[in-house]
Amino acid sequence: MRTLLLLHGTGGDERDLLPLAAHFGSDFNVLSVRGNVQEGGMPRFFRRLGMGVFDEADVVFRTHELADFIGKVAAQEGFDPAQIIAVGYSNGANIAGGLLMLYPGLLAGAVLWRPMQPLVQEVPAFETPRPVPVYFAAGQHDPTVRPAATEAYAALLAQGGYQLTRRDAPTGHNLTQADLTGAVAWMAANFPAA
């Protein structure tokens, strides 16, 4: 059975994306994680130095920490770690991106809502060992990320072997019904029910 790894945005918690998980169908385990970094009382998955400027050493550390946690929970709960599909929004999409870059064989797929490239200063060389579909949904009017940076990130993931489905939304950083509908259709096409 496949597992959805739910990764919330800044200030959210492990309950935030649970209502959305049901839309993907009942053929999934659900593992929802709370970021363990605090910024002004708001949970995040890694530190940032300013708006849109990430503490990349912390991104690397927290990505390794998350990968280790996933392995431990998979062993405890008896689910296949090779069948995990990350579903992340904003900061959650960015830590999922850390997994895609630092652990290219770990995830079976990923939904990235409003992603930013998590590692820019020292970009690791990566290549997926198998086909891995990724739903990449940027906001066309997102004030937190420059369009050129979005283009570069999408190109980087594609160069690394990820099979990108790009669906830019005519909105800002907020999540819309169209984002959910598009991701659900993508999930059904790439991970059909058994």
Side-chain angles (χ1 to χ4, degrees), residues 26-173:
S26 58
D27 295 322
F28 298 97
N29 298 313
V30 176
L31 174 61
S32 194
V33 181
R34 179 189 295 200
N36 55 9
V37 172
Q38 291 284 317
E39 180 183 278
M42 297 186 301
R44 283 179 55 83
F45 286 100
F46 53 81
R47 289 193 301 268
R48 59 182 168 183
L49 305 175
M51 186 60 74
V53 183
F54 301 152
D55 179 338
E56 295 195 18
D58 197 52
V59 171
V60 171
F61 176 79
R62 300 296 175 181
T63 301
H64 292 320
E65 187 178 60
L66 179 58
D68 184 57
F69 172 77
I70 290 167
K72 287 178 179 168
V73 172
Q76 283 173 2
E77 300 298 327
F79 64 82
D80 184 354
Q83 293 295 313
I84 294 173
I85 303 153
V87 177
Y89 166 63
S90 187
N91 183 239
N94 300 338
I95 194 73
L99 291 173
L100 293 175
M101 295 173 79
L102 295 171
Y103 292 86
L106 180 64
L107 298 175
V111 171
L112 306 179
W113 284 315
R114 307 300 178 266
M116 283 181 70
Q117 185 172 324
L119 298 170
V120 179
Q121 305 300 325
E122 292 186 36
V123 179
F126 62 90
E127 187 173 346
T128 61
R130 59 190 163 130
V132 176
V134 173
Y135 186 83
F136 189 99
Q140 291 171 337
H141 310 294
D142 191 336
T144 65
V145 58
R146 293 177 296 108
T150 297
E151 295 299 328
Y153 185 28
L156 180 70
L157 291 175
Q159 287 163 12
Y162 291 103
Q163 300 174 326
L164 251 63
T165 299
R166 180 107 179 249
R167 295 279 186 273
D168 292 0
T171 186
H173 199 67

